[in-house]
Amino acid sequence: MTDVTLSSKNPTAVKAEALVVATAQTSDGVAVVSDLLPTDLLTQLESLAPQLGVTGARDEVRKIPAGPQLAAEVLVLTGLGERADDGTFATETLRRAAGAATRELAGLESAAIALPASDDDEITAVTEGALLGAYAFNRYRTTGKDSAKDATKAAKNGKDPVATIEILTPLHKNAKAKAAAERAQVLAAAVHATRDLVNTAPNELYPATFADAAKAAAKDVKHVRVTVLDDKQLASGGYGGLTAVGQGSSRGPRLVKVAYTPAKPNAKVALVGKGITFDSGGISIKPAAGMEAMKSDMAGAAAVLSTVVAAAKLNLPVAVTGYLCLAENMPGGNAQRPADVITIYGGKTVEVLNTDAEGRLVMADGLVSAVEDGHDVVLDIATLTGSQMVALGTRTSGVMGTDEVRDEVKAAADASGELFWPMPLPEELKSNIKSKVADVANSGPRWGGMLNAGLFLQTFVGDHPWAHLDIAGPAFNEGGAHGYTAGGGTGVGVRTLLTFLEARATAK
């Protein structure tokens, strides 16, 4: 994990390998945005910008020699885009620019960032962005000993993130600024841990090893306890969703509870995460093209685990229990079939029409268990439907549920910089999941697929305060890196869930 400190050093004198400065688009060309650099240097850089191909656009990063006026070796210009009407930049813009820069600094030992950081919100955004961008997943890269060409390729693609970052700010001694930076480090560690789990190969990460990872993550974290129900306990306990989905695999399902219980909690929140460690679709098998991305179908459970651990490390006065609903969906000889009827924990029956609509089955067990345990509010997070991507694309998640809780999640997402959009649960669509033989069917028509899935989950929470977060597209970046987001696992949801918990912790 990259180390971050706040510093009041003069950016011209800081002896880092790279100095990061912001650029912006203006009607007259490019502006270098800094209150810390001397005027003559700003003027020089702005006049050179067109020759260097610098436009100031968002996600644009350019590296140039620092020159004699700077002690740093390289000057990194990171784009902010256009200013808001009031002349400022949104915190998410700063977060994204800082992250885009640090993504390009992999392999370096030190960097200093001189982006706008003159209040607590700006310091938080810049620090978070810098840390979120400083991520790499190199677990499976070899040293490339077979040939010089392989060695060069491995070195290029396997660089570690920049080791240390100084955030240059006049508020380096401010208590709130320091606290914001410390929180950013806990938050980034949680996002990185989620990304690591999502990026882990499915032959290594399956329900039993995921349960082990949960125990390891919670080890030595105060007030956190992990309990695991294995496949035999799930079957005997009536957890029909997890049992049915997991029965086609040689690796049995697990329900992992990760409970953080502070001494005097102000609230009690349940987080339920979908943890399909690989989703082949079961007998309703998926097309081969793109199936490798289905190692990410456990991103919801990964986000829940990391959020609970982060809440404990921040000593939040709110009790949080994570329910990790873990199974591998495989088309084995013992796999569930379309037309099977299963009994979810708590007694409701489900007709299985499509074995590739398996996430909602394991989530149903977790939701009933969470409601039964008596939490004030239940949130679930899942890579649940392809329909989410049809409706909202690959960077915006959907949220639905009880109106007040849904709006609370949206507010937390906005505050944290994550993109969530509120979706309805129309009464008239409930007929889509009616079954001719059971209480409910696990699949409905193609139209409104995300909403049909939400209505299915609602069946298992009743009128309990609840929200469902569908992160199917945003959880795994199959395109190019952007901002602070690398390819592969993104860690989406952690920032929103943690911000939600912080709001609950301080609510009256």
Side-chain angles (χ1 to χ4, degrees):
M1 181 78 179
T2 299
D3 290 328
V4 169
T5 57
L6 302 183
S7 170
S8 63
K9 291 179 182 177
N10 186 326
T12 62
V14 66
K15 294 181 179 179
E17 289 178 80
L19 172 65
V20 179
V21 175
T23 59
Q25 294 174 317
T26 72
S27 57
D28 298 325
V30 179
V32 178
V33 183
S34 176
D35 295 328
L36 302 175
L37 291 176
T39 303
D40 60 335
L41 180 57
L42 295 177
T43 302
Q44 182 183 358
L45 290 172
E46 289 173 354
S47 65
L48 286 173
Q51 302 172 48
L52 299 172
V54 176
T55 68
R58 290 178 64 178
D59 279 2
E60 178 186 76
V61 179
R62 294 284 188 273
K63 300 177 186 177
I64 62 174
Q69 292 176 273
L70 299 173
E73 298 174 20
V74 175
L75 182 63
V76 180
L77 304 176
T78 184
L80 295 171
E82 296 181 1
R83 296 178 188 268
D85 292 339
D86 62 0
T88 64
F89 295 95
T91 52
E92 176 62 10
T93 298
L94 297 173
R95 188 183 288 112
R96 183 166 174 162
T102 54
R103 278 197 301 103
E104 297 295 326
L105 302 179
L108 299 185
E109 284 297 316
S110 62
I113 296 180
L115 270 61
S118 57
D119 62 37
D120 296 340
D121 290 340
E122 289 181 345
I123 291 172
T124 298
V126 171
T127 308
E128 285 181 2
L131 288 169
L132 292 172
Y135 173 81
F137 185 77
N138 295 324
R139 182 180 304 176
Y140 302 118
R141 297 194 183 281
T142 66
T143 56
K145 293 180 179 179
D146 293 341
S147 69
K149 182 179 179 181
D150 287 344
T152 301
K153 183 178 180 181
K156 179 181 179 181
N157 294 330
K159 292 178 181 177
D160 290 331
V162 59
T164 64
I165 294 175
E166 289 181 271
I167 307 295
L168 306 184
T169 172
L171 300 180
H172 68 291
K173 291 185 177 181
N174 181 279
K176 287 186 178 180
K178 288 182 177 180
E182 291 171 359
R183 176 191 179 276
Q185 290 184 292
V186 172
L187 175 64
V191 173
H192 289 185
T194 303
R195 292 173 174 176
D196 283 348
L197 285 168
V198 173
N199 289 329
T200 300
N203 59 318
E204 290 190 8
L205 188 71
Y206 45 91
T209 57
F210 199 140
D212 291 340
K215 293 177 183 177
K219 186 178 180 181
D220 300 326
V221 180
K222 291 183 179 180
H223 308 300
V224 177
R225 182 186 178 200
V226 177
T227 57
V228 180
L229 297 181
D230 64 20
D231 46 354
K232 293 181 180 179
Q233 291 170 309
L234 291 171
S236 62
Y239 294 86
L242 282 156
T243 299
V245 173
Q247 69 190 35
S249 172
S250 61
R251 298 157 165 169
R254 299 288 188 273
L255 177 62
V256 180
K257 293 186 181 182
V258 185
Y260 163 56
T261 311
K264 296 180 179 180
N266 295 337
K268 189 176 181 183
V269 179
L271 305 177
V272 182
K274 176 185 172 183
I276 302 299
T277 57
F278 189 78
D279 182 18
S280 69
I283 288 179
S284 306
I285 197 163
K286 294 179 180 291
M291 196 190 289
E292 67 277 2
M294 288 300 98
K295 69 178 183 178
S296 67
D297 213 17
M298 36 55 67
V304 166
L305 170 61
S306 298
T307 300
V308 175
V309 172
K313 289 182 176 179
L314 292 173
N315 298 311
L316 295 185
V318 53
V320 191
T321 301
Y323 298 75
L324 316 183
C325 306
L326 310 176
E328 186 177 54
N329 188 25
M330 299 292 283
N334 196 43
Q336 65 173 337
R337 297 153 290 262
D340 280 3
V341 175
I342 63 174
T343 302
I344 300 298
Y345 181 70
K348 281 191 172 67
T349 58
V350 177
E351 181 185 12
V352 178
L353 299 181
N354 184 341
T355 65
D356 193 25
E358 85 299 327
R360 64 201 70 183
L361 300 179
V362 303
M363 295 291 281
D365 280 339
L367 287 169
V368 174
S369 182
V371 171
E372 181 181 78
D373 288 345
H375 300 277
D376 301 332
V377 61
V378 176
L379 304 184
D380 77 71
I381 181 169
T383 50
L384 205 62
T385 67
S387 297
Q388 176 274 321
M389 289 180 276
V390 174
L392 298 174
T394 59
R395 296 192 187 181
T396 302
S397 303
V399 57
M400 57 210 80
T402 309
D403 289 352
E404 289 184 1
V405 182
R406 179 199 62 203
D407 294 345
E408 195 176 346
V409 171
K410 178 63 167 66
D414 291 345
S416 70
E418 292 193 315
L419 296 173
F420 276 80
W421 195 253
M423 302 297 292
L425 290 173
E427 185 75 20
E428 65 270 17
L429 293 188
K430 288 185 177 180
S431 60
N432 287 346
I433 54 172
K434 289 186 66 174
S435 167
K436 296 179 180 179
V437 297
D439 294 329
V440 65
N442 84 320
S443 184
R446 174 185 177 190
W447 312 119
M450 175 172 50
L451 311 185
N452 294 337
L455 288 165
F456 178 91
L457 296 179
Q458 187 183 49
T459 302
F460 298 92
V461 296
D463 58 1
H464 197 85
W466 156 79
H468 160 56
L469 288 66
D470 194 333
I471 59 170
F476 196 75
N477 178 21
E478 297 187 73
H482 54 89
Y484 45 74
T485 303
T490 65
V492 72
V494 171
R495 289 150 58 195
T496 295
L497 294 177
L498 190 60
T499 303
F500 179 96
L501 294 176
E502 288 171 324
R504 281 275 168 158
T506 57
K508 295 181 179 180

